[in-house]
């Protein structure tokens, strides 16, 4: 099978491409490189010893998408492409709505015109909004999201539902991610965004390598075990493997919409992440506590039992693995 991966040079996309290639899939990538690097392609090829067909461009470019589908027999799509930082989305909401919604609409139109009816969508736990319980289950209704980023994910889920209602020949899999961190064991690919990071682990890494002077932990007065936010952290390789399970499930299932949480099933606080990182990598981080960040929720984590039951998927990597692999990548990236 040949899979089109949008945003395939990004953090989650690149790891998923490696898993696809290792599992015998052919891969075509489209990425505009707005927050990724073209060198990732050669690193993927080094890791897997397989070739990747790469198109540099924007998923909103309908002409380019038509060319990709005309030049390749695409059997399915994994849709990662999109802006993804919660805090940034609060500051520049129009950019998030324009980019994330437009790219998805264009992709779905071209898929329908090309009779490609299998898509795995990169959604987010933020679609749950604030729930009575911090343990999120797929049967919960989508809540009032706390950021424009989360709202774009919720809107795209609704678009996919409406698409299926109008065309029930589609196989649509929605994967709601929790908090991916870590890096490939090779140290060749990982997360190293441009500028000041919006997510915790890249921020920690820039402080650990003295690229930034200190880590700001946003809020230490939440009603949690130590006052810092609690999240469900998942190793990016575990997350990537979830996409393989989703494709395998779709291949043998009837057309429908399938929704799964991909998370570990338990919460870890920001302070606990910092402590674990220091311990496993034998170093000290310079950090301070700052004000709460707009759009952040105090606590949430996954109920991943549906993914285990229907996909046969569960996490295998530990928090220590995530911290160790993240640091290994950034040290290798910097040549230290």
């Amino acid at each position: 099978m040949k899979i089109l991966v949008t945003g395939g040079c990004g953090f989650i996309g690149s790891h998923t491409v490696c898993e696809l290639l290792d599992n015998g899939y052919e891969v075509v990538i489209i990425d505009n490189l707005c927050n990724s690097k073209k060198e990732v392609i050669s690193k993927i090829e080094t890791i897997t010893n397989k070739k990747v067909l790469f198109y540099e461009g924007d998923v909103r470019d309908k002409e380019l998408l038509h060319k990709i589908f005309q030049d390749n027999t695409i059997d399915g799509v994994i849709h990662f492409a999109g802006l993804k930082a919660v805090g940034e989305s609060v500051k520049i909401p129009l950019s998030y709505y324009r980019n994330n919604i437009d790219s998805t609409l264009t992709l779905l139109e071209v898929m329908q015109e090309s009779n490609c009816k299998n898509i795995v969508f990169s959604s987010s736990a933020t679609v749950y909004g604030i729930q009575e319980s911090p343990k999120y289950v797929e049967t919960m209704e989508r809540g009032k999201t706390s950021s424009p980023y989360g709202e774009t994910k919720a809107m795209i889920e609704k678009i996919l539902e409406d698409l299926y209602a109008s065309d029930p020949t589609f196989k649509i899999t929605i994967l709601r991610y929790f908090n991916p961190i870590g890096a490939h064991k090779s140290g060749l690919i990982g997360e190293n965004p441009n500028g000041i990071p919006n997510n915790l682990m890249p921020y920690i890494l820039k402080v650990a390598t003295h690229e930034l002077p200190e880590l700001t932990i946003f809020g230490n007065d939440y009603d949690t075990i130590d006052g810092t936010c609690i999240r469900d952290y998942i190793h990016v390789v575990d997350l990537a493997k979830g996409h393989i399970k989703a494709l395998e499930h779709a291949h043998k299932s009837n057309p429908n919409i399938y929704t799964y949480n991909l998370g570990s099933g338990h919460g870890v606080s920001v302070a606990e992440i910092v402590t674990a990182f220091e311990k496993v990598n034998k170093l000290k981080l310079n950090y301070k506590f700052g004000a709460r960040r707009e759009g952040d929720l105090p606590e949430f984590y996954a109920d991943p039992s549906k993914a285990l039951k229907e996909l046969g998927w569960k996490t295998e990597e530990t928090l220590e693995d995530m911290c160790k692999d993240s640091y290994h990548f950034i040290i290798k990236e910097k040549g230290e």
Side-chain angles (χ1 to χ4, degrees), residues 9 13 30 40 49 75 83 87 121 123 142 150 168 189 193-194 210 221 263 302 315 330 334:
C9 292
I30 177 173
V40 167
N49 198 31
D75 299 297
L83 302 176
F121 172 57
S123 192
R142 283 189 293 265
I189 56 174
N194 303 322
H210 309 293
D221 59 348
T315 60
I330 208 70
K334 293 179 176 295

Side-chain angles (χ1 to χ4, degrees), residues 43 48-49 60 70-71 80 87-88 95 110 143 145 148 157 168 172 175 200 228 241 244 256 262 295 305-306 318-319:
K43 292 179 179 180
T48 63
N49 198 31
R60 292 174 290 179
Q70 288 166 1
D71 292 351
F80 293 107
E88 182 185 62
S95 294
V110 174
T145 59
E157 287 194 9
I172 298 169
L175 299 180
L200 177 62
T228 64
K241 290 176 179 178
I244 307 303
N256 209 331
L262 295 187
S305 58
K306 184 181 177 185
T318 66
L319 178 61

